[in-house]
């Protein structure tokens, strides 16, 4: 199955009673898995606002787990995601939160295995569309309207120029770019929305650039 991007709804069929609480939740889970790069061994899922209040009745819980198993919004296997997760040995925990958030349909997903862990916050904005607003403590805003790459790097001079020059070499146009860092000279993050999908060759070259620690693609 081919899609334009991991955020896009393909066709009108979506599993569940609510596009924002079910289809959007599945997409949030799937993007978390995509960013993690592999099947997580465990997941802690913090739910806020209406997600926290109605996650069982609206199947938000099973949808997120389905997304973590790499199921798309129209995949019938979402209905049995809990059972499939158990077969794969993936444990999960849902934690309803009472804190204030900017959007009522908000989830923070913390996933990991014996190698590493990752934290991501996403919101479901309706119609199966989502936005990713935080990754490992870095604030960001991915609209999902374009393919994107996320580059984790050391905060060193020349990193941004090297990445931009690499994309230029392959005639990949940057539509939007954000850069943030935790502290001066510490870890930093580039979020780059582009006009076309970045292929494997380009991803490999980006990973070989100096001071680059991780490159992730959100597109297909």
């Amino acid at each position: 199955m081919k899609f334009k991007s991991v955020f896009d709804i393909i066709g009108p069929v979506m599993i569940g009673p609510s596009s924002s609480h079910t289809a959007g939740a599945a997409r949030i889970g799937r993007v978390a898995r995509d960013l993690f790069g592999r099947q997580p061994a465990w997941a802690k899922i913090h739910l806020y606002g209406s997600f926290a209040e109605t996650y069982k009745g609206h199947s938000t819980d099973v949808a997120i787990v389905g997304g973590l198993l790499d199921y798309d919004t129209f995949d019938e296997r979402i209905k049995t995601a809990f059972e499939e997760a158990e077969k794969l040995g993936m444990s999960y925990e849902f934690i309803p939160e009472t804190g204030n958030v900017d959007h009522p349909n908000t989830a923070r997903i913390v996933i990991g295995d014996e190698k590493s862990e990752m934290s991501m916050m996403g919101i479901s904005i309706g119609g199966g569309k989502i936005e990713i607003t935080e990754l490992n403590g870095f604030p960001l805003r991915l609209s999902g309207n374009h393919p994107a790459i996320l580059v984790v790097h050391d905060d060193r001079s020349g990193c941004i120029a090297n990445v931009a020059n690499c994309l230029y070499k392959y005639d990949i146009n940057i539509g939007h770019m954000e850069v943030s860092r935790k502290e001066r000279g510490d870890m930093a993050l580039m979020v780059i929305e582009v006009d076309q999908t970045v292929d494997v060759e380009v991803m490999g070259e980006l990973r070989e650039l100096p001071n680059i620690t991780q490159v992730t693609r959100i597109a297909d």
Side-chain angles (χ1 to χ4, degrees):
M1 182 67 65
K2 286 289 184 183
F3 348 11
K4 185 177 178 182
S5 95
V6 295
F7 294 100
D8 292 332
I9 293 295
I10 306 300
V13 180
M14 295 181 289
I15 302 299
S18 166
S19 63
S20 59
H21 282 225
T22 311
R27 291 233 174 261
I28 291 171
R30 196 172 188 213
V31 171
R33 180 206 166 102
D34 195 53
L35 290 172
F36 191 59
R38 57 190 180 275
Q39 180 66 57
W42 54 267
K44 293 184 178 180
I45 302 150
H46 302 260
L47 302 172
Y48 299 83
S50 60
F51 267 6
E53 296 168 1
T54 63
Y55 71 96
K56 291 183 179 180
H58 285 185
S59 299
T60 303
D61 50 0
V62 71
I64 291 178
V65 171
L68 291 172
L69 297 176
D70 203 27
Y71 299 163
D72 205 344
T73 55
F74 50 76
D75 196 321
E76 291 286 339
R77 292 176 297 173
I78 285 179
K79 296 177 180 178
T80 58
F82 288 168
E83 291 82 357
E84 296 302 318
E86 184 177 356
K87 290 178 184 177
L88 291 172
M90 187 188 83
S91 62
Y92 53 87
E93 178 185 3
F94 289 92
I95 307 167
E97 302 284 6
T98 58
N100 294 325
V101 288
D102 293 334
H103 194 280
N105 299 330
T106 298
R108 179 186 297 278
I109 299 178
V110 184
I111 54 178
D113 57 17
E114 70 280 358
K115 296 180 180 178
S116 64
E117 67 177 65
M118 183 197 82
S119 172
M120 186 201 85
M121 180 172 281
I123 61 175
S124 178
I125 60 177
K129 298 291 186 178
I130 67 170
E131 290 183 355
I132 306 304
T133 59
E134 184 182 302
L135 177 66
N136 287 338
F138 288 103
L140 66 144
R141 188 162 296 277
L142 281 174
S143 67
N145 294 328
H146 304 281
I149 56 173
L150 282 72
V151 182
V152 180
H153 61 99
D154 296 329
D155 182 28
R156 300 287 187 274
S157 62
C159 280
I160 297 172
N162 287 340
V163 170
N165 285 334
C166 180
L167 296 177
Y168 170 75
K169 173 183 173 181
Y170 289 94
D171 197 29
I172 297 171
N173 189 52
I174 297 173
H176 178 76
M177 182 175 183
E178 295 183 6
V179 182
S180 59
R181 63 184 182 183
K182 293 188 174 179
E183 292 182 10
R184 182 177 180 180
D186 200 351
M187 187 181 296
L189 174 68
M190 297 181 223
V191 180
I192 307 170
E193 290 187 340
V194 294
D195 290 341
Q196 61 263 61
T197 299
V198 180
D199 63 27
V200 175
E201 180 183 0
V202 181
M203 295 289 289
E205 189 163 327
L206 288 170
R207 292 187 178 107
E208 294 299 318
L209 292 173
N211 299 308
I212 301 298
T213 58
Q214 183 181 356
V215 182
T216 305
R217 174 179 59 181
I218 305 181
D220 198 348

